[in-house]
Amino acid sequence: MTSSFTVQNADGYEQLMGRWSKQLAPPFIDFAGIADGERVLDVGCGTGSLTFALPQAANLGEIVAIDFSPVFVEAASQRNTDKKISIQQGDACALAFADGSFDRALALLVLHFVPEADKAVAEMCRVVRPGGVVAAAVWDHLGGMSGMRMVLDTAAMLDENAARIRSHYCFQPMTRPGEMKRSFMANGLTNVEETSLTIRMDYRSFSDFWEPIAAGEGPLGKYVASLPQDQRARTEAAVRAAFEAGEADGPRSFAAVAWACRGVVPSA
Ligand SMILES: C[S@@+](CC[C@H](N)C(=O)[O-])C[C@H]1O[C@@H](n2cnc3c(N)ncnc32)[C@H](O)[C@@H]1O
């Protein structure tokens, strides 16, 4: 299996995650470093949070964006008005590009959905020229996703299936400290650096937080949608209590931390 990501619909993804990956894209681009004229590959572009942020950061020569999901390729293509950007369906584990054909390959919030994430890193290394850069970021699910952990910890107290989903979530590929760095080094990259990037997920209210999950978006949404009506209501009430934390419903802000790693393709 090449992808563990499940897509409900592109608008739902925007509400659940796209609005936050848009915030993470600029600090990730700063960390990855881009320069005018470069040809950049965005691996796992989704609805385009990184793709459309790239031209804001430099006068790039060309941006090629690929995603496994035809639903996202369609959604991102509909948004695209930039002739320098091309968007196509593709697999991170078998990139349809020649060796050394990009200056940089970037993947924002993708590798943790690739069961054979090492293979995707190897492919990113292959398509980048010697001296070029490979960079990726994934959420620190165990220690850095306070909002999602709140949902999973609450649900896990009520249901052992949710505890299993929490375990899977916390240890998705590349999310452990140092895991991406080890993979980048094992794939021969040099000057490998790993850091963490933090954004705030600011919600207007509980419904702003819960609606995309209730609509079945993401792994948590899939779980909630699978519950019988009474259990779903109990779960929602318990998560609402955790979200409100003893005060009236209203805005809440959750820290979200991503691991980011970059390395340089060595000269042959
Ligand atoms: C959480 S989304 C991130 C999307 C976008 N980069 C962003 O930051 O909003 C994960 C994306 O990875 C894509 N993906 C997962 N496995 C993939 C694979 N093997 N090849 C290409 N894309 C993949 C999914 O289809 C999905 O669009």
Side-chain angles (χ1 to χ4, degrees):
M1 192 181 50
T2 281
S3 174
S4 64
F5 191 79
T6 48
V7 182
Q8 190 74 2
N9 77 54
D11 291 341
Y13 174 79
E14 281 300 285
Q15 274 305 103
L16 182 75
M17 190 51 70
R19 55 178 161 165
W20 312 123
S21 62
K22 278 194 187 86
Q23 262 189 49
L24 186 61
F28 174 60
I29 291 170
D30 281 351
F31 173 72
I34 55 169
D36 290 353
E38 286 187 344
R39 183 171 195 245
V40 176
L41 177 64
D42 176 5
V43 176
C45 62
T47 49
S49 295
L50 173 63
T51 319
F52 299 120
L54 283 164
Q56 313 294 323
N59 186 16
L60 295 173
E62 188 185 353
I63 299 158
V64 179
I66 67 120
D67 199 277
F68 196 66
S69 155
V71 175
F72 281 171
V73 170
E74 172 65 23
S77 301
Q78 276 180 12
R79 283 181 61 196
N80 186 24
T81 54
D82 186 336
K83 287 197 181 69
K84 287 184 182 174
I85 297 176
S86 62
I87 301 167
Q88 54 197 265
Q89 211 257 333
D91 180 359
C93 294
L95 293 171
F97 304 108
D99 296 2
S101 52
F102 290 92
D103 298 297
R104 259 162 242 264
L106 313 180
L108 180 63
L109 305 180
V110 177
L111 293 180
H112 48 323
F113 291 110
V114 182
E116 293 180 283
D118 258 328
K119 224 179 192 174
V121 174
E123 277 293 88
M124 289 169 78
C125 294
R126 179 184 67 74
V127 300
V128 170
R129 65 166 170 81
V133 166
V134 172
V138 298
W139 291 123
D140 175 3
H141 279 177
L142 178 77
M145 282 293 267
S146 54
M148 288 303 129
R149 278 301 302 272
M150 182 183 73
V151 179
L152 282 163
D153 289 345
T154 304
M157 295 299 289
L158 303 173
D159 176 17
E160 61 188 34
N161 283 333
R164 273 193 287 276
I165 290 168
R166 177 177 62 179
S167 177
H168 172 77
Y169 177 85
C170 286
F171 301 111
Q172 276 176 243
M174 300 291 174
T175 59
R176 297 172 200 245
E179 197 178 346
M180 264 197 296
K181 187 170 186 178
R182 282 191 293 280
S183 170
F184 275 38
M185 291 173 75
N187 276 291
L189 292 169
T190 61
N191 302 90
V192 177
E193 261 184 69
E194 188 174 85
T195 189
S196 52
L197 305 173
T198 301
I199 62 153
R200 307 286 315 187
M201 296 183 170
D202 292 317
Y203 297 95
R204 292 187 299 279
S205 62
F206 179 67
S207 67
D208 186 33
F209 176 78
W210 185 249
E211 263 168 19
I213 297 171
E217 211 46 65
L220 265 171
K222 203 170 157 197
Y223 162 74
V224 169
S226 75
L227 296 175
Q229 185 57 41
D230 57 338
Q231 199 180 339
R232 197 184 311 177
R234 266 201 308 280
T235 305
E236 178 177 334
V239 175
R240 175 187 278 279
F243 179 91
E244 292 177 354
E247 294 206 354
D249 189 12
R252 299 288 189 275
S253 180
F254 295 91
V257 183
W259 296 116
C261 193
R262 73 161 176 235
V264 176
V265 175
S267 302

